[in-house]
Structure formats: structure tokens, C-alpha cells
Amino acid sequence: MSSLTRRQLIKSASVTAAGSLLSACGSKSPAHGNAPVVAQSSGFLFRDVQDTAGVHFKHTDGESGRKYFVEQFCSGCGFIDFDNDGFLDIYAVNGALLPGSQVKGHPRHEMFRNRGDGTFENVTDKCGLGSTRFGGGVCAADYDNDGYLEIYVTCFGKNHLYKNKGNGVFEDIAIHAGVAGLECISTSACFFDYDNDGWLDLYVCNYVDYKLSEDRFCGKGKDHKSYCGPEVYHSHADTLYHNNRDGTFTEVSRPSRIIQTRSKSLGVVATDVDNDGWMDLYVTCDLEPNLLLINNRDGTFAERGVEYGVAYGMDGAAHAGMGVSAGDYDNDGNIDLFVTNYSFEMNSLYRNTGQANFTYESLRTGIGPPSLVPLGFGAHFADFDNDGWQDIVVANGHVLDDCHENNQALEYAQPLQLYHNHGGKSFEDVSTTAGPAFQQKYVGRGLAVGDYDNDGRLDILVSNNKGPVRLIHNESSFQHNWIKLQLQGVKANRSAIGARVQVKTRSGMQTQEVYSGSSYLSQSDLRVHFGLGTDTTILEVRVRWPGSGGIPGAEEVWKRLETNRIHRLVEGSTSNKGGIAK
Amino acid sequence: MKPTSEKYTEEHRSPRPPQRLPLGLLIVAALLIIISLYAERVSRNWVPDADKKVKAAASQVSEQTFKDLGIAATASINDAHAQTEYAQALISRNNFFAAMLPAERAVAVAPSSSDAHLMLALIYSTVGYRERAISAYREALKNAMPESRLMVMQKLGEYLQSTGDTSGAQTIFMAARNAYPGSPGPIMSLASIYLDSGKASDALALLDPICTDPKTAAVGALYLNGKACQSLGKTTRAAELLRAAISRQSDFSDAYHTLGSILCNQARQQEGIPLLENAVKLNPNSGAIMYSLASAYFNDVTRQDHLSLARTTFEATLDRDPQNEWAHYYYGLTLEQQSNFAAAIREYERTLEINPDFDSALYRKAAVLTQLGKRDEAKACYALFDKRSKHEITSVHDKRRNNSIVDTAEEHYRRGMALMQKGDRDAARDDFKIALQREPGNAAARRALQGVGGL
């Protein structure tokens, strides 16, 4: 009302003459009856194939009708090759029925084994992985170095550690191993070797202090309950478990100084942000500053999120940090960070300028504005077109099923987003031209990336609240080369979690790491995939192995590995010239 | 005027056929026209600056008239008309203090003249004599003719609102609404008060009934309804109403501004920016509109030149509104994005001068210091920022926690009883209802709900 006086308003009450229609405001919006502008194809093409592939799964949020706090933000999913046959299997975490539910049956977590022909079979019963606990997230790694991947599942309540017996059967040994955790909401988790002893430790995010009996009432009108936000609950400290090398762990949260008085953690990634060979941790927190736990190399960590520029958004606000991905998007050899946030908070892209100094790049790169309205959860850096630059994919979905009533710009179910990386300088939102999978709307949560059919194109797995787990096949037709590396530690942890891999071609150098966990509540393919663009020759592949014996790992270099193949690189075997035939 | 003569009536009934002029006469007339046009042109050249001389002569007349009015007013102190005319002439020259005396005389001479009181009220309100202005408005209202009462009530209400007496204004507008139920003016004024007080729902309740047909609803009502919907998150409806307002009044800068802002806040800059640009064209002196456009440019990363556009527009904003802390902050952000770090710091510091609690500026200053390699200074800024930020977060979260209750029958009942003690029966009823939902056999909740008429 700054310039229009009330006198003018009263005057305008008598205006009856018809003016001309404003042409600008309605012409581009389909909602006003005009034909939408048909965008040019981006070349990306992704399609949902879960039904034809036999991945039949439906997530439950508890279906209580009571709007319990815990219902909003679960669950995750994982690409996990549990049987070592070279094909990624799928693990889908489920919720559980809550008091007040009228639904019959016992929803459970499910494992789908990849047959190698593009289809999957449900092997949950055979594997013993069908927990009926209210599940949060999943991460996987060979924590006991026996050659088989174990699976850690966080829950509302006690967590699971499934020991892989090697014969397709798992046993829950969480209590015996000392990692069952507390009766709270645990969210993301990751295995990583923080003390470089060659054995994987475990970091578990714990969200808030919560019990069903203490669920709080929030809502606009006093008789209309809406889901509460995390601010009405107190945070619960995260947990760090040190691997005792005998199948068990010791909780070291306090001596390691990872405990923060305020966290409300949802996502975590273990990555070496300062390039010193010791794994650090970046933890995304909901309405609290994110945490950057720098490894002091003596079994302790120091929280440096604020001074390194990754605790807050651009304007210093503590955002609702959900998922996180680490990757080198500008190919400068430093690992950058990407965080998904709430509606009307842009997703945060932090560029690592070296030695863990970060600059906020969401605006400059263009990735921020398209993410303003959607609510992001799972996210991953991945080169979907194999052009040598890491793109970003995000799973979106609101937490409030009545969000549209409060703001008509918001929707509960939202589409995925795909951001194409243009030479490390900018990102373009190509979602509308990336195929039918990016036009469907779901309440997205977890997201994992992996090449489930080993065709050299990265596929996507998305879990949805109260929805199916989506297997999204990459059918893009870019004629680009690639290489996929499966690392195996010998002195270092066998899964090579924390290994840093650099691939050098004529076009330049790319850097990636091997991660357990990350994204949101999810586990991606442990193999590292590099797109090579039109390069046909790999000059060298350099691997800095994770540490062992208490010191950072050594480097090894492979020369002239063949492109468009999957190679297994074993620590200490630099003469390895072979590869796994496709 | 109706015809009265028989002759006129006869002619009116049967008009005569037009007479034909002789051809020669026509030619002569044409020649005369041509000659006169030529003569005029010649005369212009003949008498240079004729137009200027004509205007000068006219202002001399106006000045003369003004002097005459003054003389007449001085000579006729008891002539209300003379006093009024002279006061109006002074008002037209923005001489409000000088106009006070003749206006007061006019009122003294014609105390029952509503117009005289109204003119005096205008003068008092302009020079800031609040109590006298209100008194004059009330006198104008007391003496107003029935057809003018609504207009005077509106003016009084507007004045009260503009001087901060919202409740007084609300009383007047409500009275006007009750007295003139069909008139949109008081409704819009009331709605405007509700909007300013954060009661968008109340504004919406008033405005919806008079906005059912966008083709006939008052444009101002459409606009205010759009604002109310915007406040309540009903952005789709807000956009419809604002578009309707614009289609009916294409020079409505505030409507363009609001609609453009709604779209830009949804990251639809490509739709919103043209609207904001229109708003600026229509109202180029508004700092608020200029700021909105600058922010929109800043966020429109699809344009290659968006930062340079943002920069110049923020500069224009600050020319108009140098104390706008947000404009300084975003100007600083723009400069930072353009790697003008020293200038960015200058703007962040200026923002903090205007508002020392502007924590975002403190944070960005720290970030820029880091980029410049000044780690110690940056660390100090970060530490201060972090302390303040966490304090604020704790405070907000504690408040929200304290405003929520554990969702059990017992807690809802307890809160209901507390609300009853405060006299809020409606809210108490809601809590008792929920208590019974949680525990249908809860006798205390049932009794309490019956007590407030909920069963």
C-alpha cells in the first residue's frame, strides 16, 4: 500500500471502464489456458521400470491417522550387491503400523535380488531381512572385511546390523555388536574408517528425543492437527562406534567429541574435505546449523562448520538440512558438498576451494532458484550423461500433507529434479525434458544411484513415503564413454570406503570417493563410475587407498585401463590390467 | 431545455431540407480559409514567441486574480465565500499555513458549512495539527448533507488511520459500512486496516462477497482481496484477483507490484519480472517497487546480465530509499557475486549501521573476509554471528515448544481448562473435543465439552 492512498482506492471503486487485458502475466502459464511451451529435448531419458522389473513394494508411514511426528520423513533405500555377483540388488526400508492403524498385515523391509537380466526377485524371506520395525535409513559396507557386505538399518527404536553370512542369509547382530542404539529416531548412517586402522567404524545420526506417547499436537486451528516440525522436540546426540575388529563395536561418541549440544541430524557423509588423508564428517541438521566434524587425526573431531562456511545457508539461516551428497562438481580435485533443504530454502551447493574453505554457489551456478519451492530429500552427484561432469539428481516431496492449504504454491507430492552440469560452471534444470520418470509426482525421500544393469549408464532408485520404491532406468542416448571401478582394500578396509579415485584423460582430471551411506537414508553403488565424454584413452587412474595401520593410505596408479568396462582394482596390485567383463 | 415555442416545435417536427450554396460562394469560402491559415502562419513568423507571450499573459491574469482574491478576502472578513476562495487559492499554491486564517474565518462565518469545515480539516491535517483536524472533520460530518456523509466519514477514517489511530478509524469505517451497506468504500477501508494488522482472514471475509464478479467488483477491492489471499498463502486466487484488477485498470502499479512479487517468490521470475518492470514504469519514484524488481533480477539466474541489472536497480532503490537495510544487504550480495569484495563489505557494514541486528549481513561479511584471506577477522565475525544465531534459534524453538502440548486427552483437557479461565471458550471447546477423541470415555472432558455447548 506504499504508493496507493486510500483516497485513490475509494476513487477506483467507481472505475467501471474495461481496460485492456494484461498480456504479459497470463501468456506463459498453462493454467491460463495457453499451450505450454514445448522445451527442446535435453538428451536425457529416464523411465520407471519397477513394475516390469518385479520390484513390487509399497511404503507405509504407519497409517495411524494420528499424524505422529515420525511418519513424515521415512524411509530410505539402497543399491547393495549383497551376493557379490556383480549386479546391484535393491533393499527397500519400510515403516511400520502405528497405534490407531486400521490396516491389516505386517509391512516389512524388503530385499530384491537382481537376476542380471533386468528383473528382480523378492528374497526377503530367504535372506532374513524382513524386519517389521519402523525403518529409517540404510547403509552398507564390509565392516568385518570378510568379503561380504553387511547392512545397517536405522529405525525408530533399536537399529539392525545384518551380518552377511555369505550364503545369501543375514543375521541381525546389532545387540551383540553393540550398535543397536537407543530408543530414539535414528536417521542416516555411514560406515567409515576414522582412525585409519583398516576397519570400518560407524556413525549414526539421531534426530530428536521422541516417544509415541509424547507425540505433540501442532496445527493452525486448535482442532486441526498438522504434523509438527522438529523445533518442538529436543535434539538427540549422534553416535560414533569404533570397530573393535572382532565383529563388535565400542561407542566412542564422547571421547571422540562428536557430540554436539544441538544437532537434529538427518543426513551424513564421510569425506576428506581437507585432503589430509583422514576422513571427516559432514552432517546435515534440521533447523540447526549443519556440522562439519574435522578429523583431528587423534581419534577426536573438531566442529568447524561455521568458520568453513558450510553450517548455514547463504544468508546465515539455519536451514532444514535433509540430504547430502559429496562430489567434485568442478573437477578441481576438491570435494564439494550439496545439501537439500526445505520449501522456500534453496538447496545449498558449497564449493570447496581447497583446505576445507567453502563458498556458497547455489545462486552463481543457477542450481538454487529452481529448488526454491520444492522440498528436497535424497540427492546425489552423478554423471548421468557420461560427459565427465557430475550432474545432480534430487528427490522431492513435502512433509506436510496439508501444505497446499497453507500455501497454494506447495504440493505434497513433487517430481524429481535433474540438474545438468555445464562444465563445472553452472547447472541447468533439465527435469521437464528428462523423460517420463521426471514428470511423475511422489512424496520422495531416499535416493540411491547405481548402474543396476551394468550398461554404463547410471540409474536411480527412489523411495517414497506411502508409495512405491521406484527403479528408474537411464535410457539416455548420449554417445559417451565411461569406466566403472570396483575397489577392494587389502590393508585398507575391504570395501575401500573413503578411497579417493582420480581418473585422468586428455580432457582433464576427475575425482571421486567411495562412500557408504550419504544422500538421505540411502546407500548407493559402492563402485565409482566416471563418464569420459568422447575421450577413448585413460591416461591414468590414481587411487589413494583409505588408511591402515593408523596412517593415511598409499597411492597406486593404473595406466591405460580400457574404457567402457568395469574394472576391479585391488590394493597393492598395480599390475592389474584385467577387468570384469561386461 | 425543452422547446417551448410553436415555431420551434413545428421546425422540430418537420425539418427543412438543407439549402444548397452557390458554387461561387464555396470557392470564395475556401480561398478565405486558405488565406487565413497562411496569415496565421505569417503572423507567427511575424510575431516571434507568440505562444510564450500568450502564456505569460495568462499567468499574469492568474497572479492578478490571486491578488484580487487576497484583497477581497482582506476587505470582506465576514464574507464566507471570499474567505473560502482565497483559502483555496492559497491551497493550490501549497501555502497551507497562510490558508489557515481565511479558512478559519470561513468556518466562523458559516459554521454550518460542511465544506468549510472539510477544507479546514485538510489544512490542519496537512500542517500536522492533529487534534484540530479531527475536530474539523467531525464538524464537517455533523453538518454534512446526506449525500456527502459517506465521503466525509471516509476522509475522517482515513485520517485517523494515517495518524495511527487504527481503532478510531475502524469505528468510523464500521459505522460507515453499517450506514451504507451497499458501498464498497468502507468495506475496503476496513479490510485495509485488517490487512495492516495481520488479520488477513478477517479482511478476506469482508472482501470476498464484493469480489464475486471480477468484471464489476471495485478494482481496489480486487486488489485488497488479492493481498489478503497472498498473506494467507492462497497464491493462485491472489494472482487471479490481481490480474482482474490490472485488466480493469492498466495503470495500477501496486497491483502489478504485488502480482509480480507473488510470481517471483515462487521462482517464476520470467513471468514476474515484466510485471514488476511495469510497476516501476508506472511509479518510478517508489523505492519499494524498485527494490522488488532489483531482487527479482538478482534471483533470475537465467539471464546472463542479471547481476548487472540487479546492481543498477539496487542503486536506483537506494537513491530513493537510502535507509533501506534490505536493499543495502542485497546490493552487497550482488557486489559479492560480481567479486567486488571490498564494495560488498562496505554495504554489509552499512546494513549493520542501519540495523545492528541484521545478522545475515554479519554472516556475509565474515564469508567475504574469508575469501579475502582475512581469516582472523572472519573468525571473529563468525563467532559473533554464531552466538547470536544460536540464541535466536533456541528462543524460537523454545517458544514453539511451549505453544504445543503433548497430544493426550489429559493435556488437551488441561489446556482447555486454562483457556476457559482466560475466557477463550471457542479454543477451549476445540481442546475438549480432541480430548474426547483421544479418550472417548473421558468423563471430565465430556462434562467440560457439554459445559461449553460442544455436545
Side-chain angles (χ1 to χ4, degrees), chain A residues 133 152 157-161 174-175 177-183 186 241:
Chain A
R133 277 188 212 157
Y152 188 76
K158 297 277 186 205
N159 302 326
H160 295 292
L161 172 61
I175 294 175
V179 293
L182 304 158
E183 295 283 347
S186 298
Y241 298 101

Side-chain angles (χ1 to χ4, degrees), chain B residues 98-416:
Chain B
M100 237 191 291
L101 190 53
E104 284 169 349
R105 283 181 186 150
V107 161
V109 172
S112 61
S113 165
S114 176
D115 285 344
H117 286 288
L118 209 52
M119 184 174 66
L120 188 55
L122 169 67
I123 294 168
Y124 282 148
S125 63
T126 305
V127 300
Y129 288 16
R130 186 177 180 274
E131 294 309 316
R132 285 176 184 258
I134 290 172
S135 179
Y137 274 121
R138 291 199 187 279
E139 284 298 317
L141 183 60
K142 201 165 78 176
N143 291 287
M145 301 292 283
E147 60 270 22
S148 304
R149 280 186 63 78
L150 176 59
M151 180 266 296
V152 179
M153 287 175 94
Q154 283 290 155
K155 285 186 189 296
L156 171 56
E158 282 174 22
Y159 183 65
L160 289 170
Q161 188 175 2
S162 69
T163 54
D165 185 0
T166 308
S167 90
Q170 193 169 330
T171 304
I172 296 292
F173 291 134
M174 275 179 163
R177 181 191 167 202
N178 291 337
Y180 302 93
S183 173
I187 293 175
M188 291 197 294
S189 298
L190 264 175
S192 162
I193 289 178
Y194 289 147
L195 275 174
D196 287 347
S197 320
K199 296 177 185 170
S201 300
D202 291 342
L204 196 66
L206 277 179
L207 292 164
D208 263 348
I210 64 169
C211 291
T212 47
D213 183 357
K215 289 183 187 154
T216 54
V219 174
L222 293 170
Y223 167 74
L224 287 170
N225 203 351
K227 295 276 287 183
C229 287
Q230 179 195 27
S231 296
L232 294 168
K234 297 178 194 280
T235 48
T236 308
R237 177 80 180 128
E240 278 168 16
L241 290 160
L242 292 164
R243 287 194 174 104
I246 288 166
S247 74
R248 299 261 309 279
Q249 186 176 328
S250 59
D251 64 345
F252 200 152
S253 69
D254 277 354
Y256 280 109
H257 179 205
T258 307
L259 179 56
S261 297
I262 287 173
L263 294 168
C264 290
N265 285 342
Q266 295 172 10
R268 292 159 66 181
Q269 275 82 13
Q270 287 171 6
E271 295 170 68
I273 284 177
L275 296 167
L276 291 173
E277 286 170 343
N278 245 357
V280 164
K281 261 188 227 156
L282 290 166
N283 193 350
N285 293 324
S286 164
I289 298 178
M290 194 68 76
Y291 169 77
S292 295
L293 179 58
S295 300
Y297 284 141
F298 178 79
N299 286 306
D300 187 12
V301 296
T302 61
R303 284 184 203 225
Q304 286 247 313
D305 60 346
H306 79 107
L307 285 178
S308 56
L309 277 172
R311 180 171 164 172
T312 50
T313 316
F314 278 124
E315 286 163 359
T317 304
L318 289 167
D319 281 338
R320 286 150 181 74
D321 188 4
Q323 293 293 105
N324 187 330
E325 64 210 50
W326 284 98
H328 279 288
Y329 172 67
Y330 273 99
Y331 183 36
L333 267 178
T334 308
L335 293 165
E336 186 188 332
Q337 293 286 306
Q338 292 181 315
S339 304
N340 288 328
F341 296 126
I345 287 183
R346 177 198 71 217
E347 288 307 311
Y348 295 141
E349 286 174 348
R350 179 71 187 121
T351 308
L352 289 163
E353 274 175 17
I354 296 171
N355 181 358
D357 294 329
F358 205 114
D359 288 341
S360 297
L362 184 59
Y363 186 75
R364 288 316 314 160
K365 179 181 169 184
V368 174
L369 286 169
T370 304
Q371 289 206 65
L372 292 172
K374 299 180 180 176
R375 287 210 76 112
D376 289 337
E377 282 181 65
K379 210 167 163 180
C381 276
Y382 273 136
L384 177 59
F385 168 81
D386 195 37
K387 186 175 165 192
R388 280 157 46 158
S389 169
K390 284 173 176 162
H391 176 77
E392 177 68 18
I393 291 169
T394 302
S395 166
V396 168
H397 289 196
D398 283 350
K399 190 174 171 186
R400 288 186 193 164
R401 194 178 306 117
N402 295 337
N403 283 340
S404 68
I405 57 171
V406 177
D407 192 13
T408 59
E410 190 184 330
E411 286 299 315
H412 279 286
Y413 172 76
R414 198 173 294 164
R415 187 167 74 174

Side-chain angles (χ1 to χ4, degrees), chain A residues 217-261:
Chain A
F217 184 95
C218 301
K220 237 183 168 181
K222 289 261 190 294
D223 64 343
H224 176 72
K225 185 177 183 183
S226 193
Y227 282 112
C228 289
E231 61 271 35
V232 303
Y233 297 99
H234 292 287
S235 64
H236 197 295
D238 295 344
T239 319
L240 177 63
Y241 298 101
H242 179 251
N243 192 330
N244 297 328
R245 310 182 193 185
D246 61 359
T248 68
F249 292 80
T250 299
E251 203 228 300
V252 294
S253 311
R254 206 160 285 284
S256 66
R257 297 199 216 147
I258 59 110
I259 290 184
Q260 305 296 312
T261 52

Side-chain angles (χ1 to χ4, degrees), chain A residues 177-196:
Chain A
V179 293
L182 304 158
E183 295 283 347
C184 65
I185 302 179
S186 298
T187 51
S188 293
C190 68
F191 287 102
F192 75 120
D193 185 2
Y194 78 90
D195 57 352
N196 280 338

